[in-house]
Amino acid sequence: MSAAKVTVELLRACKAAGTRIPSLTTYDYPMTRLLDEVGVPLLLVGDSLGMVILGHPDTTHVTMADMLHHVRACARAKPRALLAADLPYRSYETPDQALANARALLEAGAEAVKAEGGRSILPQVRTLTHAGIPFIGHLGMLPQHVLEEGGYRKKGRSERETAALLADAEALVEAGAFAIVLELIVPEVAAQLTRRVVVPTIGIGSGPGCDGQILVTHDLLGAFPWFTPRFVQPKLDVATPIRQAVTDWMAEVRG
Ligand code: KIV
């Protein structure tokens, strides 16, 4: 018998029980099946697909059409994991736009949506949660703001930044977020934030003190060998056997 479907309530209960939440990105049907078969409880169709799938320099090029295409593919795997999806760049500038696009992602098969920002997007978050749409926050380094910020800079280095992060996290919880991704935050600050909020925090490059950890699957598997973030220790170097297998096969074909 297959294990029970992962729900928002189950993920929230993990925090109370002290059970860590491993989470990974997914962008297509076979990877969703593989990750689901080994029991990853939370899968995110991340807008990181802009880089690792579509070859863009950053996530600001990702469109709703891109997200819908990949969410549909992942949803066809009918994962037991909770399948979340990113609202892409400029797809949630107003509450109405956020609601329409979040509904489109849900219709495509996502079960929760994520958007970047804290108090600056609170009206959008409230609109989504009031409409019953499960929402994941995202604080710290916000990749959709990389161009304005001029790079991927660690957050929580000053008292002012730390206070802003804490206020953003509390505001997101108050607005109904059921989890918060913490990206590139000073580990002590991420741990402090994790202790402060009642919902699970899912860290990426933010140290071990979060309730869960998320990685871009391609980084974990060495499937995007041209760039690996400093905080990732890949478990595989899948690019090397791929190159070798194809080289061997070409030699066989050429005889
Ligand atoms: O797009 C993404 O992959 C993300 C991360 C948190 C991994 O948002």
Side-chain angles (χ1 to χ4, degrees):
M1 206 173 69
S2 61
K5 173 76 188 159
V6 176
T7 59
V8 166
E9 293 68 37
L10 195 139
L11 292 174
R12 286 189 68 134
C14 284
K15 175 149 184 149
T19 308
R20 294 288 166 115
I21 304 168
S23 176
L24 285 169
T25 62
T26 189
Y27 315 106
D28 60 27
Y29 173 86
M31 189 56 80
T32 305
R33 273 192 78 166
L34 287 171
L35 300 177
D36 201 48
E37 279 170 12
V38 295
V40 180
L42 175 61
L43 293 173
L44 171 71
V45 186
D47 60 357
S48 49
L49 67 82
M51 290 90 91
V52 299
I53 301 293
L54 302 179
H56 291 302
D58 55 61
T59 60
T60 65
H61 302 265
V62 177
T63 64
M64 268 304 291
D66 294 330
M67 291 305 301
L68 291 171
H69 179 75
H70 287 273
V71 168
R72 285 190 196 106
C74 297
R76 282 184 204 114
K78 297 190 176 36
R80 171 191 163 259
L82 189 90
L83 187 67
D86 269 329
L87 278 162
Y89 187 60
R90 293 203 169 152
S91 71
Y92 51 101
E93 302 213 300
T94 66
D96 283 351
Q97 190 196 21
L99 185 59
N101 284 324
R103 281 190 169 141
L105 289 170
L106 259 55
E107 259 167 50
E111 296 163 308
V113 301
K114 173 168 83 60
E116 298 180 6
R119 287 162 294 170
S120 60
I121 61 161
L122 231 45
Q124 287 89 321
V125 179
R126 285 204 188 99
T127 299
L128 299 185
T129 58
H130 287 169
I133 297 175
F135 180 80
I136 302 177
H138 186 150
L139 296 175
M141 200 291 135
L142 306 180
Q144 292 175 10
H145 293 254
V146 67
L147 300 179
E148 297 131 66
E149 298 216 352
Y152 296 90
R153 206 175 57 78
K154 204 158 215 139
K155 293 295 164 77
R157 287 188 191 275
S158 66
E159 272 181 29
R160 197 160 152 255
E161 257 180 27
T162 302
L165 285 168
L166 288 169
D168 281 335
E170 280 171 353
L172 284 175
V173 174
E174 191 270 324
F178 78 88
I180 305 176
V181 167
L182 302 180
E183 178 154 1
L184 273 187
I185 294 179
V186 171
E188 298 71 43
V189 175
Q192 187 187 348
L193 237 144
T194 298
R195 287 192 297 273
R196 184 77 76 90
V197 295
V198 292
V199 303
T201 61
I202 314 287
I204 173 161
S206 299
C210 301
D211 298 306
Q213 297 289 332
I214 185 164
L215 286 179
V216 168
T217 298
H218 285 55
D219 294 338
L220 182 70
L221 303 182
F224 193 81
W226 311 279
F227 173 75
T228 308
R230 257 182 292 172
F231 56 83
V232 179
Q233 280 101 49
K235 293 275 182 207
L236 254 184
D237 168 22
V238 86
T240 299
I242 289 175
R243 288 186 185 118
Q244 192 57 56
V246 175
T247 303
D248 293 350
W249 176 78
M250 287 197 299
E252 282 167 27
V253 169
R254 287 174 180 145

